[in-house]
Amino acid sequence: MQAKFMQEAIRLSLSKMRKNCGGPFGAVVVRQGKIIGRGWNQVTSANDPTAHAEIIAIRAACKKLKTFQLADCELYASCEPCPMCLSAIYWARFQKVYYANTRRDAAKIQFDDDFIYCEVSRPIARRKIPMRQLLRAEALKVFAEWKTKPDKIRY
């Protein structure tokens, strides 16, 4: 069964790449042996840098299940997830992730996620994009209210 799901992720990557939807990446979300979400890279066709295959598949699965957590699901991706997708995978609480190509394979065709992996581990002051903190005291008030909000939905 696992090979069947990975084949679908790879099929999506090839089919949608050939249709100029975006880069050569596909993903499927599987729950109880059924595909409940499909995604392919739509960065260039949607003009959306976050429209990676994994993100699109996660959004489709969450919409179908009417939930923001996929703890009883598995993700099949045609390539090792980039840092953004990896973060989304953790937020979604996937049970397991399978991938085909590695990030080194992707780097060989000019999809080099290593830059972002390195940036994330650097101190904020040493990152390529300048980041400055502003109005922390004001923002902390919102966090304080969230902390005591009785009807919040935890995630």
Side-chain angles (χ1 to χ4, degrees):
M1 278 299 254
Q2 294 167 344
K4 177 181 120 180
F5 298 131
M6 185 59 75
Q7 286 168 343
E8 177 61 6
I10 294 168
R11 184 196 69 75
L12 283 167
S13 73
L14 180 63
S15 167
K16 300 302 181 173
M17 176 198 68
R18 286 179 174 169
K19 292 178 181 174
N20 290 323
C21 292
F25 305 97
V28 295
V29 175
V30 175
R31 181 176 183 240
Q32 298 173 351
K34 288 185 176 180
I35 294 175
I36 58 162
R38 285 178 170 78
W40 53 90
N41 186 283
Q42 298 174 35
V43 170
T44 56
S45 60
N47 293 316
D48 180 353
T50 69
H52 289 202
E54 297 92 333
I55 301 294
I56 301 297
I58 289 168
R59 289 174 181 163
C62 288
K63 186 175 183 177
K64 182 174 183 145
L65 297 177
K66 296 178 174 64
T67 185
F68 53 84
Q69 290 188 350
L70 301 170
D72 60 346
C73 297
E74 298 174 338
L75 179 79
Y76 292 77
S78 66
C79 188
E80 182 179 355
C82 75
M84 175 183 68
C85 294
L86 183 61
S87 296
I89 287 163
Y90 276 96
W91 278 115
R93 313 275 198 276
F94 276 96
Q95 191 176 82
K96 193 175 278 190
V97 175
Y98 298 92
Y99 63 91
N101 291 322
T102 68
R103 68 191 209 206
R104 286 173 193 78
D105 298 328
K108 290 176 186 173
I109 60 166
Q110 285 77 49
F111 288 95
D112 195 356
D113 300 334
D114 196 48
F115 168 74
I116 300 171
Y117 278 107
C118 289
E119 281 290 292
V120 168
S121 65
R122 288 187 178 155
I124 290 174
R126 292 191 53 223
R127 292 183 183 160
K128 297 281 184 203
I129 297 175
M131 297 184 181
R132 304 286 182 256
Q133 187 175 29
L134 294 173
L135 303 177
R136 180 172 181 240
E138 280 186 48
L140 279 173
K141 292 174 188 174
V142 179
F143 277 14
E145 187 172 325
W146 169 261
K147 186 176 180 180
T148 61
K149 187 175 184 340
D151 60 344
K152 66 185 163 209
I153 298 172
R154 295 184 183 273
Y155 59 96

